Structures are given as structure tokens and as C-alpha cells.
Amino acid sequence: MKYYLIAVFSLLLLTGSVQSQKIYVGAKGGLNAYTILGGQPINFSPKISYHFGMLAHIHISEKFALQPEIVFSGQGARYQNNNVNLRLKYINVPILFEYMFGNGFRLEAGPQLGILASAKSKFNNSKIDVKSQFQGADLGIVVGMSYIKPSTGLGFDIRYNQGLTNINSSSLYRSVNSGIQLGIFFLFGHNT
């Protein structure tokens, strides 16, 4: 929880320190399909989960914007014929650079820092805390596109998130997060 508060405070500082004509704050949420890629001998399947959080949309010019976010994200993977679920919970802080087309469509890309909040392995009805087996931070890259309906503030996005750093604590295998997100967002006061 303390990481979430630090992330919220950081977003507010970033939003308040940017000198811009248009700054919009909003909320977002949606579905995740995450898995783990790497050299480990286990074949992982995607795990379906959710994400929710806050965002700030900062117009830098007519065509370009900066969009920092703070998102709680359920990630992980399934393995061994889907009998075991690895549940990773992250506080992700992407900072996206957006190119805005005039019709509401946007292309976006940027870095993302993930802070591991919890890690549990579930088999049948038993859960095991496995947080010590994972790194506390995950650096990645985000690419995607979004659409915001003009004059409503309501939008949709689709993203691909690719981890760049090894999330394993041990050096036996290199593993990275990889996932797709489908989301809906609302920007308060957005009327253009």
C-alpha cells in the first residue's frame, strides 16, 4: 500500500510541475492477459486478470501529449495444465508519449516501471507467498493505441507491455513479464 501512495504522490507532483495549456486527470480500468517469457523449463499460459488506476493527459502541443499513469495490475501466468496459478500484483507507472490524430485516435509508447506488491502461487485451494523469488522492480516498454470520443472524455485503449528486466531473484533463468491490456478510461473535463 505504501508503494501505491508513493506512486499517487509522484503523479500529482509530475502533473503539478508541468507547464501546459491542457492537463486532464482521469481514471481507467480493464482486462489483462499476461504471461511470463524466458528460458525457464516451464511452459506458461496466459493469465487473465484486471487493472485499474489513474492517469494524467498533458498536451505538449497540438499533436503531442505526455500521459503518466499509476495502475494496479494483476499479472502472472498459469502452468502445469492450468492447475497452478502464479499471481503477481504490480503497481505500474508508465510514462507514455502520444501522437494525437485529429479524429480522436492516438498512438502511444514509453517506458514503464513496475513495483511488485505481492506474489502468490496457488495450487488447488492452497496459496504460497513467493514474493522472495521475484525482483521488487520491473522495467518495461509499452506500445499501444487509444481512441477518445471527442467532447465526452470517454476512451478505449489496447496495449502491449513487454518487460525488459529479469523478474527472477535467482540467476538460473531469465524471465520477463509480457502482456496485453484492453482498457477503458475517462478524462474529467475533456471537451475537445
Side-chain angles (χ1 to χ4, degrees), residues 54-119:
M54 300 171 31
L55 64 109
H57 184 77
I58 304 161
H59 285 236
I60 298 170
S61 70
E62 184 180 331
K63 294 287 186 185
F64 292 96
L66 183 67
Q67 186 165 299
E69 301 178 359
I70 299 172
V71 180
F72 181 83
S73 181
Q75 298 174 199
R78 297 179 302 164
Y79 55 98
Q80 294 179 356
N81 298 323
N82 299 328
N83 290 330
V84 179
N85 279 309
L86 177 60
R87 298 178 176 186
L88 304 177
K89 307 242 188 242
Y90 280 92
I91 308 245
N92 288 330
V93 182
I95 299 177
L96 304 175
F97 300 92
E98 292 190 331
Y99 178 80
M100 301 178 295
F101 297 92
N103 55 6
F105 285 97
R106 301 169 175 175
L107 295 177
E108 54 195 22
Q112 173 174 279
L113 172 64
I115 301 165
L116 184 64
S118 74

Side-chain angles (χ1 to χ4, degrees), residues 106-179:
R106 301 169 175 175
L107 295 177
E108 54 195 22
Q112 173 174 279
L113 172 64
I115 301 165
L116 184 64
S118 74
K120 296 192 184 320
S121 181
K122 181 180 178 186
F123 178 71
N124 293 329
N125 290 328
S126 62
K127 292 182 187 176
I128 301 168
D129 188 329
V130 293
K131 189 173 180 183
S132 64
Q133 298 175 20
F134 294 91
Q135 299 290 343
D138 176 33
L139 272 175
I141 188 92
V142 178
V143 294
M145 58 187 274
S146 64
Y147 172 77
I148 185 164
K149 187 172 180 185
S151 76
T152 66
L154 182 64
F156 306 91
D157 59 23
I158 181 168
R159 294 182 182 165
Y160 176 68
N161 299 336
Q162 178 61 54
L164 300 175
T165 56
N166 187 5
I167 61 172
N168 279 332
S169 312
S170 73
S171 59
L172 293 177
Y173 300 105
R174 185 177 191 281
S175 302
V176 295
N177 287 312
S178 179

Side-chain angles (χ1 to χ4, degrees), residues 26-44:
K28 68 174 303 179
L31 294 175
N32 294 345
Y34 263 88
T35 192
I36 295 174
L37 303 176
Q40 67 275 7
I42 300 169
N43 290 324
F44 289 110

